[in-house]
Amino acid sequence: MSYRYRLFKDGRQTGGRRYTLDELREMGTFMLRDLCVSERIMTRSAGLDPKRLKREELIELLFRYRGKEEELLADDFSEDSVSIIKSLSARAKLAPERLTAPGRLALKRGTPVSEAEDIFLEHGFSGTHFVGIISDGDGAVLAVFEVQENRLTLSPRRVSPSLGAGVYRDLSVLLFDAPSSLRVIRAYNSQRANPAGERDLAAAMARLPILTVEEPGDCGEPLTIDFGAGYTCAASGEPAGMGKAGIRAVVFEGGSRLCPSAAAVRRCVSGEVRFCFGYEAWRLLKQGGCAGGMTFFHSLKRYLFEERTLEVCDADGNAALVSSDALLKGFLEYLVGVAQGEHGVKYKKICFLLPEKRAGLALDRFRALLPDYEVEGVCSESVNSVYDAIARQAGSADAGSARVLAFHCGAGSSSLTSCEYETDNTRVAYRVCLKERYLNGDSSFGGNRLTSLIFMYLKIRVMLSVTGSEEEALDEGFLDAYSLVDQYGGTEKIYERFTALYERAEETVPTRFGRLRESAEYKRQNFYRLWLLAEGLKTAFFSGVPVNTIALPDRFAAISAAHVRTPEGLAERRLDFTVHKDALELLLAPEIYRVVKRLIEPLCDEDGILSGYGIRFTGMSCQIPLFRDALREFTVGRRARVKNGADELKLRALNGAIIRGQMQESGRMIPALEKEEAAIAYSVTTQAHDGSVVRIVSDRDAGREVFGCVTRHAATRRVVFAIRDALGNAAGEREVSLDIRLFEETTYDRLFGAYPAFLPYQGDFDSIGEDEIRLFVYRERDWDFCVLPAARKGGTLSVGEVSRFLFDNESPDYFGGWL
């Protein structure tokens, strides 16, 4: 049976609600028909009328387009939810089944009661999943818990804040039976009680003699966090006195040591926004069928360096404005909360692995977001991965030295860092002297870029399948990708036809949804389904497990469908085709070779050979073998080291940071880190008034604070600075807007007080004439180069607004709905 459906243009008119199969089965036939009308689900184009469908057909129809998986209990203790569950417990009829609670229950504040702790509630209910509450003699709800069969689990976020440390006696435990628990979950999550659903609730009650609540102890070890664009992980060292070295990684949902750097808007109420994070955010997106009006954030790290105002919506269409700082603060506090709950301690100190560039700004931002903690920073993931290798050989290796290039490719960006170190296993300690130098990077290339290419490939394949075209998605140019990248200095020529096919595919498989409330829901659904497919294929092919072909319906049945435009109209089409690993390798090879060439080739000798360095790949995306294949073009007889396993790679970096700190405190290692001035892998030029090219910044200026200046006439309104990478390829432009009427008068004391680096250049300021503007290009903390315009008005020195630039652009936003 095929269906078509149509939604209101403004999702808030329908509420965007989705229904579980049990909810639909509880409705009568007329209610189901009314729901089809209110939700605007149309089937007449298929020769069907909702008024003539039978009850089971209506349920199937509604569940297909408005269905969701069974709800999980929201992990919070909001006042509205608690008042509803208190009301429901008061209305529940006591069942004849007997409930037996333990004689004593001990809790640590902020620590979950997990399935491994063997706390049982004996009951006679049938079913597997139950919800219950703990209340005091006055009927106040102190905690909301879950029971799987007989085993009790309790999240610290479902415990009342009023439940402080102490001993509580004569409490009550109430457990709803399985059908009632489902109704309670729905009411608790939606914060709306259905009067009809309050009838026929059944529960059993028992006495809890003693509840002990303890405050977790402070942890002397810091919690170390690697905040990534795709995934984040956290760990701490083993507590002092435990008799063993090593780290304790934080385990997130499903046993993963990686947490997606993602968030979803659970609810907007009166302008207040509630988020959920990590795997819970992904689950909320998937429960909505990858559609609905809910705002979803995938790469939270893009908001680290600058606060923004975000417009967000929940699944019911309620909208609000929220600061990106509130989003980041919530995510970081979520990470710390999970770590404290799992390890049963309270962390006072948080340590972040900092990026190679703008590390100072990142640390300032982390401190502003977490004012209640002592926040410190350590060197980057790349450098800490090298430290991990050094720490592993500490005490077992003789003195020596090495030069290592740490090639990092994460989800959002790539970088190349030089690490030169000397080790000396002395009589009393292991000495390590490491010099770190940032060499080059590409903020527009990372794992998300590779996923976007696979996304584009899938979209083209769907278009070719729907239209019946016999065209190939990849042409012969991909077979000679390396030569074409060398010939044209980039990948534009190789991807030219591929990109044109992708633009055509938008007409058949729409994925550009832009602003949520201004676009059809099916476009957003197409985008996330294809993105999840692309990410799943990338992981399946390049995770180390030998896989050569994947049939989409077999491996990804739940999301192997897309809404396509056909001559008959919009229809949902099953993606019934096979993807080959060889095709994806052809697709990704040009981009991977381009970035390897851009970062490695400037270090090669005149024969194009890199020598004298060891290569260490870090970052999750470097697991793709194509990185090693591309590197062989610049090395002879050597291979780069990479550790299989996404979580293993990130934990290696955390291990390097934590173990190094522990060995330093114990006196076993004496590390000395010297961070050298970063290389300038770019040149900056501009045109003089006569059209000649003036070079302002080059790789020879790495140690300079002031790069130089350029003169323009006072009537100039804009000056463009052109940027080229180390290979001479165009890397973008930066524009400075000028209006001498807006310049503010200043004095030399004020100018040199604010910019002391300009003091040696006083003569350049003295010589500014009445009819000119002089633009001074200089370096400032956390920025690659800045431009200060200065002029003279009526004989008085005046300056304009400073423009601050990065050599390379920020990582593209792949999740804004424009891909």
Side-chain angles (χ1 to χ4, degrees):
M1 182 182 298
S2 63
Y3 303 109
R4 295 180 61 209
Y5 70 101
R6 178 167 61 86
L7 301 177
F8 287 104
K9 291 181 179 179
D10 186 346
R12 288 178 293 177
Q13 296 181 31
T14 63
R17 186 182 172 191
R18 295 186 173 270
Y19 306 84
T20 64
L21 196 57
D22 286 335
E23 285 179 294
L24 294 173
R25 285 173 176 167
E26 289 177 2
M27 298 180 187
T29 303
F30 290 105
M31 186 179 295
L32 292 169
R33 288 174 179 167
D34 290 342
L35 196 58
C36 282
V37 174
S38 64
E39 295 286 1
R40 295 291 182 93
I41 297 178
M42 315 301 290
T43 59
R44 290 176 182 172
S45 62
L48 299 171
D49 188 336
K51 295 181 179 179
R52 298 181 180 180
L53 293 180
K54 296 180 181 179
R55 185 171 182 275
E56 289 301 318
E57 293 172 326
L58 289 167
I59 291 174
E60 179 187 352
L61 176 65
L62 282 163
F63 188 73
R64 180 169 186 176
Y65 292 106
R66 280 288 178 257
K68 66 177 176 181
E69 299 298 324
E70 198 60 68
E71 288 191 80
L72 300 176
L73 188 65
D75 199 11
D76 63 9
F77 196 83
S78 67
E79 182 179 340
D80 293 338
S81 296
V82 171
S83 63
I84 286 174
I85 202 170
K86 181 178 178 181
S87 172
L88 295 178
S89 64
R91 296 171 180 267
K93 298 178 181 178
L94 292 181
E97 286 81 4
R98 183 176 179 181
L99 177 66
T100 303
R104 184 187 187 95
L105 183 61
L107 302 177
K108 276 189 177 181
R109 279 188 59 81
T111 303
V113 176
S114 66
E115 295 181 3
E117 296 188 53
D118 293 336
I119 297 177
F120 297 98
L121 288 180
E122 300 297 336
H123 58 83
F125 294 134
S126 59
T128 58
H129 185 222
F130 310 92
V131 175
I133 62 172
I134 300 174
S135 56
D136 61 17
D138 297 328
V141 178
L142 303 179
V144 182
F145 61 85
E146 294 176 286
V147 172
Q148 297 291 339
E149 294 185 350
N150 296 94
R151 196 183 298 267
L152 183 144
T153 61
L154 176 59
S155 166
R157 291 193 289 176
R158 297 196 198 107
V159 176
S160 171
S162 64
L163 196 65
V167 179
Y168 300 83
R169 301 180 184 275
D170 296 326
L171 304 180
S172 298
V173 175
L174 184 138
L175 184 70
F176 294 95
D177 67 1
S180 301
S181 293
L182 290 176
R183 298 179 186 176
V184 170
I185 289 174
R186 294 174 199 143
Y188 192 87
N189 291 355
S190 65
Q191 297 183 344
R192 292 191 297 267
N194 181 2
E198 294 182 9
R199 299 192 296 267
D200 302 326
L201 291 174
M205 184 177 288
R207 179 172 169 265
L208 178 61
I210 299 177
L211 172 65
T212 304
V213 180
E214 301 175 358
E215 286 286 350
D218 292 340
C219 183
E221 294 285 334
L223 176 67
T224 306
I225 297 176
D226 182 3
F227 182 23
Y231 289 89
T232 296
C233 64
S236 68
E238 293 286 353
M242 295 295 291
K244 57 181 179 179
I247 66 173
R248 296 190 296 172
V250 178
V251 179
F252 298 92
E253 189 173 318
S256 174
R257 294 183 292 183
L258 300 176
C259 176
S261 302
V265 176
R266 179 179 289 280
R267 189 168 175 80
C268 296
V269 181
S270 302
E272 181 181 352
V273 182
R274 290 169 48 203
F275 296 103
C276 59
F277 302 101
Y279 290 103
E280 187 179 355
W282 275 112
R283 186 171 61 247
L284 194 62
L285 177 72
K286 294 175 182 178
Q287 283 179 353
C290 297
M294 178 198 69
T295 304
F296 180 81
F297 298 95
H298 183 277
S299 184
L300 298 180
K301 193 174 182 180
R302 64 180 291 101
Y303 302 112
L304 178 59
F305 296 109
E306 182 183 4
E307 183 178 8
R308 308 177 195 177
T309 299
L310 308 172
E311 182 182 4
V312 299
C313 298
D314 62 15
D316 293 329
N318 302 310
L321 295 177
V322 65
S323 166
S324 61
D325 279 10
L327 178 65
L328 280 181
K329 181 179 176 66
F331 178 67
L332 297 176
E333 289 179 342
Y334 164 78
L335 294 173
V336 176
V338 173
Q340 292 185 155
E342 183 177 336
H343 295 160
V345 296
K346 184 180 294 184
Y347 287 105
K348 294 291 188 180
K349 184 176 180 179
I350 311 295
C351 206
F352 286 94
L353 271 61
L354 300 177
E356 288 91 349
K357 298 179 67 176
R358 308 179 80 188
L361 179 57
L363 183 57
D364 291 343
R365 294 281 291 150
F366 283 131
R367 285 173 173 165
L369 292 167
L370 296 174
D372 298 331
Y373 298 90
E374 180 185 347
V375 177
E376 299 294 338
V378 292
C379 44
S380 67
E381 183 177 344
S382 299
V383 177
N384 276 304
S385 294
V386 175
Y387 260 121
D388 173 70
I390 297 173
R392 289 176 183 274
Q393 66 181 12
S396 61
D398 297 327
S401 61
R403 293 198 301 171
V404 176
L405 291 179
F407 191 116
H408 180 78
C409 183
S413 62
S414 301
S415 64
L416 187 68
T417 305
S418 168
C419 297
E420 299 185 22
Y421 63 88
E422 294 181 355
T423 61
D424 185 12
N425 193 3
T426 69
R427 188 168 57 87
V428 293
Y430 192 70
R431 293 181 178 273
V432 179
C433 298
L434 187 147
K435 294 181 180 180
E436 169 202 355
R437 190 180 189 217
Y438 176 84
L439 298 177
N440 207 341
D442 191 334
S443 295
S444 63
F445 178 86
N448 286 336
R449 169 59 179 161
L450 299 178
T451 302
S452 74
L453 288 172
I454 303 175
F455 173 97
M456 296 167 71
Y457 173 77
L458 290 174
K459 187 170 171 178
I460 292 171
R461 287 285 305 272
V462 176
M463 183 266 290
L464 296 177
S465 175
V466 171
T467 59
S469 173
E470 296 183 358
E471 294 180 86
E472 294 291 336
L474 306 177
D475 58 24
E476 293 181 356
F478 286 90
L479 297 174
D480 197 22
Y482 291 3
S483 297
L484 291 177
V485 171
D486 290 338
Q487 179 180 350
Y488 294 104
T491 60
E492 291 81 3
K493 188 69 175 178
I494 300 174
Y495 288 111
E496 186 175 21
R497 176 182 168 275
F498 179 80
T499 303
L501 280 175
Y502 176 73
E503 292 300 322
R504 275 174 49 195
E506 177 65 20
E507 293 298 317
T508 306
V509 195
T511 60
R512 293 171 182 166
F513 58 86
R515 291 170 61 87
L516 288 177
R517 291 182 291 165
E518 297 176 2
S519 186
E521 184 176 304
Y522 68 86
K523 295 181 181 180
R524 185 172 186 261
Q525 194 170 43
N526 280 350
F527 172 83
Y528 280 112
R529 282 182 177 178
L530 289 179
W531 186 271
L532 291 171
L533 277 174
E535 189 70 26
L537 287 169
K538 187 180 74 172
T539 302
F541 281 131
F542 304 120
S543 60
V545 179
V547 178
N548 293 318
T549 60
I550 291 177
L552 293 186
D554 295 341
R555 178 69 74 92
F556 304 102
I559 52 177
S560 291
H563 298 278
V564 298
R565 291 195 182 109
T566 66
E568 293 77 27
L570 191 68
E572 190 173 24
R573 180 68 64 89
R574 181 179 173 84
L575 307 186
D576 197 0
F577 56 83
T578 299
V579 178
H580 296 265
K581 182 180 181 180
D582 291 345
L584 296 192
E585 288 183 336
L586 283 175
L587 173 68
L588 303 181
E591 271 288 78
I592 291 177
Y593 177 72
R594 177 194 67 80
V595 77
V596 171
K597 174 184 174 71
R598 175 182 160 183
L599 271 58
I600 296 293
E601 191 174 73
L603 303 175
C604 295
D605 59 23
E606 60 184 10
D607 297 320
I609 302 299
L610 177 71
S611 59
Y613 286 96
I615 306 291
R616 181 173 295 276
F617 278 133
T618 64
M620 294 168 60
S621 299
C622 288
Q623 294 180 102
I624 298 177
L626 289 170
F627 280 94
R628 295 189 291 279
D629 294 341
L631 189 65
R632 291 192 186 101
E633 299 291 314
F634 307 97
T635 59
V636 177
R638 290 182 293 123
R639 67 183 184 89
R641 298 177 182 178
V642 62
K643 182 73 175 179
N644 285 333
D647 56 349
E648 187 69 24
L649 280 172
K650 292 187 80 70
L651 285 172
R652 287 266 177 160
L654 289 182
N655 188 78
I658 294 171
I659 297 299
R660 177 168 55 92
Q662 290 179 331
M663 294 179 71
Q664 182 177 3
E665 287 187 359
S666 65
R668 292 179 56 201
M669 177 187 286
I670 305 176
L673 175 64
E674 180 182 344
K675 190 166 185 176
E676 296 183 333
E677 189 69 47
I680 299 180
Y682 299 88
S683 63
V684 180
T685 61
T686 188
Q687 286 189 335
H689 70 279
D690 59 0
S692 62
V693 176
V694 180
R695 184 181 293 270
I696 303 297
V697 182
S698 69
D699 57 357
R700 297 186 298 273
D701 299 324
R704 300 180 61 178
E705 288 187 86
V706 180
F707 297 116
C709 60
V710 61
T711 301
R712 285 288 188 276
H713 191 274
T716 304
R717 289 292 178 265
R718 58 189 290 269
V719 177
V720 176
F721 292 89
I723 301 176
R724 292 188 174 272
D725 63 23
L727 300 179
N729 300 316
E733 294 180 341
R734 304 292 181 266
E735 181 179 310
V736 176
S737 298
L738 299 173
D739 188 343
I740 195 172
R741 296 170 299 178
L742 302 178
F743 284 23
E744 296 183 357
E745 294 183 357
T746 187
T747 63
Y748 282 99
D749 289 341
R750 197 186 319 165
L751 174 67
F752 297 138
Y755 305 99
F758 286 140
L759 188 57
Y761 298 85
Q762 180 174 344
D764 292 293
F765 286 93
D766 290 338
S767 60
I768 299 176
E770 286 289 336
D771 58 348
E772 71 176 82
I773 297 176
R774 192 163 292 178
L775 295 94
F776 291 85
V777 183
Y778 67 99
R779 184 192 300 271
E780 191 175 279
R781 178 178 180 257
D782 297 319
W783 297 94
D784 291 332
F785 72 98
C786 305
V787 180
L788 173 70
R792 196 170 299 280
K793 296 192 299 184
T796 303
L797 184 66
S798 60
V799 295
E801 184 179 356
V802 174
S803 299
R804 296 174 172 85
F805 301 111
L806 299 175
F807 289 124
D808 53 347
N809 291 315
E810 292 186 9
S811 177
D813 182 10
Y814 293 104
F815 309 98
W818 309 112
L819 188 62

